[in-house]
Amino acid sequence: MIVFKHAQSLDRYLIKCKNRGQKIGFVPTMGALHQGHISLIKASKETTDLTVCSIFVNPTQFNDPTDFQNYPSTLSADMDILLAVECEVLFMPSVKEMYPNGLSDPLKIDFGFIAQTLEGEHRPGHFEGMAQIVEKLLRIVKPDFLFMGQKDYQQQLIVGQLIKKRKFDTRLMVCPTLRESDGLAMSSRNVRLDKKSRKLAVKISETLKFIKTASAKPSNTLKQLEQEAINRLQAIKGIDPEYFSIRNATTLKPVRKRTEKMVALTAVWIGGVRLIDNLLLN
Ligand code: PAF
């Protein structure tokens, strides 16, 4: 695996690879790699000739400074994982490398409703920062394929918009959420759960599954289902749901007809850790 810290040297290397006709796959991460990331790298390796993984904890996408400070960093384990899955290239830039003009160089894309609702409402500025760094990374790597997880449902929809709006010649590949054996969606934040919180966290996917089954019955209105989910989560001591919402799976707008593709999305606080998850309903 070749490790690059500077965009210019990575760019020079990738130009040579592209000139040789190699197709490039890209997996952007913030490190603290787990099986979910590994599945993205494996998908990239199956689809492309050369996989670039980036590790960069992007300061501009953290609306909560404590979350940024507590974001897990496991660099040496990450390197071992990347070597084991035979990732060809690791890009590990510094903050100065990615933000040479300081952190306040705003991205001027208005994503509209899709970035303002749900996570956008509860984490103001998060998607602006995320899109800002993904755009910078795409300009450097210029991948043929970009691999992201369904776990960050709203994120992948916004990145899809970014690719369209900026006319990147990159195909977004969305890979399924990987889950622990009890159903908890894999996330870098899971390592911050203490034993008790980890046990409780299974209730998130259990509630999503319950709602998916219940949504098959047309007499259960979506409003009732959302309220039922909140009631179930709130009833458990130690769980504090932030939202549970059923939306159109493409626009994230409220569902008008049950024949639309629907997704249930939730954010929940457990033991001081904020976890998100989602499930397609039909
Ligand atoms: O999903 C993540 O890990 C981050 O939001 C991303 C896409 C790497 C941008 O910093």
Side-chain angles (χ1 to χ4, degrees):
M1 183 169 71
I2 314 180
V3 181
F4 291 93
K5 292 196 169 171
H6 299 286
Q8 219 182 21
S9 37
L10 173 62
D11 182 47
R12 270 202 296 266
Y13 176 76
L14 290 177
I15 286 174
K16 280 190 213 146
C17 300
K18 285 171 198 165
N19 286 344
R20 283 199 293 267
Q22 287 185 299
K23 292 278 175 224
I24 312 292
F26 180 40
V27 181
T29 81
M30 297 205 295
L33 303 182
H34 51 69
Q35 289 298 325
H37 297 113
I38 295 173
S39 74
L40 298 179
I41 291 166
K42 284 190 174 158
S44 172
K45 284 188 67 75
E46 274 162 26
T47 318
T48 68
D49 304 305
L50 185 132
T51 295
V52 180
C53 172
S54 65
I55 297 184
F56 179 68
V57 184
N58 173 36
T60 65
Q61 72 186 72
F62 287 85
N63 57 310
D64 173 0
T66 324
D67 190 26
F68 179 50
Q69 275 149 24
N70 292 339
Y71 200 82
S73 167
T74 56
L75 195 54
S76 115
D78 290 351
M79 296 278 249
D80 290 346
I81 288 174
L82 292 173
L83 285 168
V85 293
E86 297 179 0
C87 177
E88 284 89 2
V89 172
L90 169 61
F91 181 44
M92 246 176 34
S94 65
V95 172
K96 185 93 189 111
E97 182 74 13
M98 295 312 289
Y99 294 99
N101 303 320
L103 294 182
S104 50
D105 69 44
L107 176 97
K108 297 211 172 48
I109 290 191
D110 181 9
F111 292 101
F113 178 81
I114 206 158
Q116 286 154 11
T117 188
L118 303 167
E119 288 299 287
E121 199 179 321
H122 292 272
R123 299 183 68 192
H126 166 65
F127 286 129
E128 286 73 11
M130 181 282 295
Q132 187 179 30
I133 198 65
V134 172
E135 175 165 6
K136 282 170 184 273
L137 290 166
L138 288 178
R139 288 199 188 286
I140 297 165
V141 180
K142 301 176 200 71
D144 299 282
F145 295 90
L146 169 67
F147 294 83
M148 300 191 100
Q150 192 200 310
K151 156 82 172 29
D152 294 300
Y153 195 87
Q154 200 170 354
Q155 168 169 282
Q156 55 83 19
L157 286 178
I158 292 168
V159 170
Q161 296 279 316
L162 172 73
I163 289 173
K164 263 198 203 144
K165 283 185 194 264
R166 292 293 198 230
K167 297 188 172 59
F168 282 115
D169 195 8
T170 295
R171 183 160 160 207
L172 176 62
M173 309 289 275
V174 180
C175 303
T177 304
L178 252 72
R179 297 184 179 277
E180 303 289 352
S181 53
D182 65 356
L184 174 66
M186 289 189 186
S187 160
S188 302
R189 290 191 167 83
N190 292 353
V191 296
R192 289 176 46 210
L193 295 167
D194 61 25
K195 228 174 157 185
K196 190 173 148 242
S197 306
R198 172 62 189 84
K199 265 196 168 163
L200 288 180
V202 66
K203 296 292 172 199
I204 306 171
S205 58
E206 275 181 15
T207 306
L208 282 163
K209 273 190 241 153
F210 174 84
I211 294 300
K212 181 178 167 121
T213 308
S215 71
K217 216 171 162 194
S219 59
N220 292 323
T221 70
L222 299 183
K223 275 260 154 311
Q224 281 166 345
L225 292 172
E226 288 172 344
Q227 194 54 56
E228 172 67 22
I230 293 284
N231 293 347
R232 280 174 171 253
L233 292 165
Q234 265 171 350
I236 303 158
K237 197 169 167 270
I239 300 190
D240 183 13
E242 209 167 66
Y243 64 79
F244 188 105
S245 201
I246 298 173
R247 298 289 178 93
N248 175 294
T250 312
T251 62
L252 294 186
K253 293 207 169 131
V255 174
R256 281 178 306 166
K257 282 195 189 134
R258 291 283 269 264
T259 47
E260 291 169 34
K261 194 108 194 90
M262 298 185 291
V263 59
L265 307 109
T266 187
V268 163
W269 284 93
I270 303 181
V273 183
R274 187 175 184 277
L275 299 173
I276 57 169
D277 198 357
N278 64 80
L279 203 59
L280 289 163
L281 298 186
N282 52 355

